């Protein structure tokens, strides 16, 4: 039985500074670091002792710092993959959120959504974003390892889940599986039917201890 634990990085500096994240290489805040510790502890309690574990992470600082806490507890080295990054907002990355809001062109309710131009120079289309996440997932799932942890971003979680349930990319134009920062989403495939289940989406109960700290 294969289980994937998909982690969305916790609070980062772009959250508290009110700037656009995306490929802007923000760092975890002190609260984010505490949350990363709680995430690692929560997953260590779920994965059986002695089980082989693989750890994958986006290459941005906020995800790598989260992965460091997991790597320490599980005794593994993260496999870094830039395809697991958040969507690129092009020239808006690192600028005030209001700058992006004034220029952003939302996708139409009906019509072309995957290749829609959002009006910001260098911004990724939804199609390009989905294609790289799907490609990363295809490689991750080639491994026979039964316990895999993926550290990614809140927006990219949509395409991790869509890929997991084998939703065709062209059908993902309305998909949205959103979760709070610092969440854990659990995905499982059984060995008999090989059905792929979304066991939990965006669980944040483990963050209570981080807040208390």
């Amino acid at each position: 039985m294969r289980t994937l634990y998909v982690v969305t990085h916790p609070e980062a500096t772009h959250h508290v500074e009110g700037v656009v994240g995306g490929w802007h290489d923000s760092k975890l805040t002190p609260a984010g670091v505490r949350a990363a510790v709680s995430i690692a502890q929560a997953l260590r309690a779920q994965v059986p002792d002695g089980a082989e574990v693989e750890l994958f992470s986006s290459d941005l600082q906020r995800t790598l710092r989260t992965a460091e806490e997991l790597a320490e507890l599980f005794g593994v080295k993260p496999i870094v993959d830039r395809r697991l990054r958040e969507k690129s907002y092009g020239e808006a990355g690192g600028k005030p959120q209001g700058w992006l809001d004034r220029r952003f062109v939302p996708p139409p309710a009906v019509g072309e959504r995957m290749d829609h131009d959002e009006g910001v120079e260098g911004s990724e289309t939804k199609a390009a974003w989905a294609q790289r996440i799907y490609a990363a997932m295809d490689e991750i799932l080639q491994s026979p390892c039964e316990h895999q942890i993926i550290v990614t971003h809140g927006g990219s979680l949509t395409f991790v889940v869509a890929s997991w349930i084998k939703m065709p990319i062209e059908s993902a134009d309305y998909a949205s599986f959103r979760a709070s920062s610092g969440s854990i989403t659990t995905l499982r495939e059984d060995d008999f039917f090989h059905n792929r289940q979304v066991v939990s989406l965006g669980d944040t109960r483990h963050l209570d201890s981080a807040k208390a700290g």
Side-chain angles (χ1 to χ4, degrees):
M1 183 178 297
R2 183 196 296 268
T3 306
L4 267 62
Y5 307 92
V6 188
V7 174
T8 57
H9 71 80
E11 184 184 80
T13 51
H14 74 273
H15 292 142
V16 298
E17 293 169 356
V19 300
V20 178
W23 287 14
H24 172 58
D25 203 8
S26 60
K27 301 178 182 179
L28 292 187
T29 64
V33 173
R34 291 193 297 272
V37 172
S38 296
I39 291 166
Q41 292 171 341
L43 288 182
R44 180 63 278 182
Q46 291 183 50
V47 177
D49 290 338
E52 180 187 2
V53 174
E54 290 179 341
L55 173 61
F56 302 86
S57 177
S58 155
D59 66 336
L60 296 177
Q61 291 184 79
R62 55 194 186 267
T63 42
L64 284 176
R65 181 65 184 87
T66 307
E68 283 177 10
E69 295 297 332
L70 290 154
E72 182 176 350
L73 276 193
F74 284 96
V76 296
K77 184 177 180 179
I79 299 169
V80 180
D81 192 336
R82 64 180 284 119
R83 294 174 299 180
L84 294 171
R85 285 184 176 193
E86 184 61 284
K87 168 186 163 63
S88 171
Y89 287 94
E91 65 177 349
K95 287 186 167 63
Q97 184 65 46
W99 187 95
L100 174 60
D101 293 343
R102 289 191 297 273
R103 293 162 175 81
F104 187 79
V105 179
V110 178
E112 178 53 59
R113 294 170 57 86
M114 293 300 281
D115 287 312
H116 169 71
D117 182 351
E118 297 174 347
V120 178
E121 184 69 29
S123 182
E124 271 187 308
T125 62
K126 197 172 185 180
W129 183 19
Q131 286 163 3
R132 63 176 168 83
I133 297 289
Y134 271 56
M137 286 292 290
D138 285 346
E139 289 191 18
I140 289 170
L141 295 176
Q142 285 176 13
S143 167
C145 184
E146 293 189 348
H147 296 275
Q148 296 172 303
I149 302 170
I150 299 172
V151 185
T152 186
H153 305 259
S156 293
L157 176 67
T158 284
F159 297 120
V160 171
V161 176
S163 172
W164 171 252
I165 62 176
K166 292 186 175 291
M167 179 184 290
I169 287 182
E170 60 270 18
S171 299
D173 50 349
Y174 289 93
S176 180
F177 299 99
R178 301 306 296 267
S180 300
S181 301
S183 69
I184 300 172
T185 292
T186 303
L187 311 173
R188 185 167 294 134
E189 180 180 353
D190 71 85
D191 292 333
F192 187 77
F193 292 106
H194 296 285
N195 289 331
R196 291 187 172 184
Q197 180 183 5
V198 179
V199 179
S200 65
L201 179 67
D203 188 0
T204 57
R205 289 173 294 176
H206 52 279
L207 296 182
D208 292 342
S209 59
K211 293 175 183 175

